[in-house]
């Protein structure tokens, strides 16, 4: 069955807070610079470099404002779950150009959508993943590694569900820590280890993503700010710029141009 991929090209404001998904994800940086935080470690990508994210790996990413990035997501074939293909394909990798050529072919097929393009994309994805397994010497995950990944995913799911149901209200560190069964100290330490960010920063990013959704339908910035749990407009504007690189008004103007 073809992979039924998602392919998006981002020319600015590429920033995603900590999350995970069941698809394998590939980041291809055409221009600029990007930082990827993956399973608690930070990795910097330069122009032309590629980063592969295995299903279930918790990650976040932030690109420079002038960056150009292709993001690929493929529903993962079962044999691929056995391997840990997460990692950077950098300039020092002799196969970097070969990986890049395959991704460029996928973009071309996906864009032109000639008859049978789904089969072509599926075949190209197979080539990419096979080369990743063999050329990058991808290790096979053992049971303890799989269990640790499931544990962290369950924790992030619980935190995300809690924020989803309460982001309009005040959320205290003491409350979310108790909900997850940890002291504030241990919760903060584990959360930073898993996501490479503090919980307050995660919550702020989560609320900004909700605000972006609401600003699509509502141009009252102050109303959206308070509905998304911010105490005042100033803190909302500051958080919005930190997470997107632009102000809420500039974001609304960009929506109007599309």
């Amino acid at each position: 069955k073809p992979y039924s991929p998602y392919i998006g090209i981002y020319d600015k404001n590429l920033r995603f807070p900590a999350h995970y998904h069941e698809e394998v994800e590939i980041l291809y940086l055409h221009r600029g610079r990007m930082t990827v935080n993956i399973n608690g470690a930070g990795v910097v990508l330069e122009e032309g470099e590629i980063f592969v994210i295995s299903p279930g790996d918790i990650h976040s990413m932030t690109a420079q404002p002038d960056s150009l990035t292709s993001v690929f997501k493929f529903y993962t074939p079962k044999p691929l779950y056995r391997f840990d293909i997460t990692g950077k394909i950098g300039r020092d990798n002799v196969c970097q150009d070969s990986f890049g050529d395959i991704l460029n072919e996928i973009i071309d097929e996906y864009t032109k959508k000639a008859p049978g393009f789904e089969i072509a994309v599926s075949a190209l994805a197979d080539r990419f993943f096979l080369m990743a397994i063999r050329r990058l010497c991808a290790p096979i995950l053992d049971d303890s590694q799989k269990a640790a990944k499931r544990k962290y995913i369950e924790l992030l799911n619980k935190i995300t569900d809690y924020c989803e149901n309460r982001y309009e209200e005040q959320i205290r560190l003491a409350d979310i820590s108790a909900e997850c069964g940890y002291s504030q100290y241990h919760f903060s330490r584990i959360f930073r280890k898993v996501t490479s960010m503090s919980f307050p920063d995660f919550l702020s990013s989560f609320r900004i993503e909700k605000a972006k959704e609401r600003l699509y339908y509502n141009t009252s910035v102050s109303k959206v700010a308070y509905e998304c749990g911010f105490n005042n407009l100033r803190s909302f504007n500051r958080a919005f710029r930190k997470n997107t690189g632009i102000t809420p008004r500039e974001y609304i103007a960009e929506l109007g141009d599309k």
Side-chain angles (χ1 to χ4, degrees):
K1 181 182 177 181
Y3 283 98
S4 301
Y6 161 83
I7 300 175
I9 299 179
Y10 297 82
D11 61 352
K12 54 186 171 181
N13 301 330
L14 175 60
R15 182 184 178 101
F16 289 105
H19 66 289
Y20 81 96
H21 35 72
E22 293 303 319
E23 302 94 342
V24 61
E25 183 170 2
I26 303 168
L27 306 173
Y28 185 17
L29 188 64
H30 303 284
R31 183 182 69 233
R33 184 182 175 96
M34 170 188 288
T35 300
V36 181
N37 290 299
I38 180 84
N39 295 328
V43 180
V44 175
L45 294 188
E46 304 285 354
E47 184 174 318
E49 295 187 322
I50 299 164
F51 200 89
V52 185
I53 302 168
S54 296
D57 279 347
I58 298 170
H59 59 285
S60 62
M61 63 197 77
T62 305
Q64 288 181 338
D66 60 345
S67 297
L68 179 66
T69 312
S70 291
V71 178
F72 306 77
K73 290 181 186 175
F74 296 96
Y75 291 106
T76 312
K78 285 186 178 179
L80 197 58
Y81 276 101
R82 297 175 53 227
F83 298 94
D84 181 9
I85 60 172
T86 292
K88 174 179 171 179
I89 303 172
R91 295 172 177 173
D92 57 343
N93 190 303
V94 295
C95 299
Q96 182 197 8
D97 288 343
S98 298
F99 282 108
D101 289 343
I102 293 174
L103 295 180
N104 285 327
E105 286 188 63
I106 290 175
I107 293 171
D108 188 61
E109 288 285 350
Y110 191 79
T111 302
K112 293 180 178 177
K113 290 184 168 53
F117 81 94
E118 300 98 335
I119 299 171
V121 168
S122 181
L124 288 164
D126 278 335
R127 279 176 54 200
F128 184 96
F129 294 134
L130 181 60
M131 191 159 66
I133 290 169
R134 292 182 175 177
R135 298 288 180 88
L136 304 181
C137 301
I140 297 176
L141 294 171
D142 61 32
D143 290 341
S144 63
Q145 290 171 312
K146 292 177 183 177
K149 183 180 285 191
R150 283 195 299 270
K151 177 183 176 182
Y152 289 138
I153 287 174
E154 288 170 2
L155 177 62
L156 188 61
N157 277 341
K158 192 167 191 175
I159 294 167
T160 301
D161 287 345
Y162 188 93
C163 293
E164 181 72 42
N165 293 326
R166 296 174 174 83
Y167 71 89
E168 298 176 347
E169 312 164 6
Q170 180 185 12
I171 296 179
R172 299 185 308 160
L173 181 61
D175 296 332
I176 185 65
S177 301
E179 179 72 16
C180 295
Y182 294 101
S183 68
Q184 293 183 53
Y185 170 78
H186 282 98
F187 174 84
S188 297
R189 185 174 61 83
I190 292 169
F191 190 87
R192 185 174 287 278
K193 176 183 176 182
V194 173
T195 67
S196 299
M197 63 194 311
S198 69
F199 175 72
D201 284 345
F202 171 83
L203 178 59
S204 179
S205 296
F206 188 93
R207 284 172 164 156
I208 292 301
E209 289 303 309
K210 293 298 181 182
K212 287 164 64 178
E213 293 174 9
R214 296 193 182 209
L215 287 172
Y216 189 84
Y217 302 101
N218 190 339
T219 57
S220 173
V221 175
S222 58
K223 185 173 187 293
V224 168
Y226 290 111
E227 286 177 348
C228 292
F230 290 90
N231 293 326
N232 56 70
L233 192 55
R234 183 178 180 183
S235 63
F236 174 68
N237 286 333
R238 186 169 57 246
F240 200 96
R241 181 181 282 279
K242 178 182 177 181
N243 280 271
T244 67
I246 58 177
T247 67
R249 288 294 177 196
E250 290 169 336
Y251 178 75
I252 293 170
E254 286 190 356
L255 291 176
D257 293 337
K258 293 181 180 179

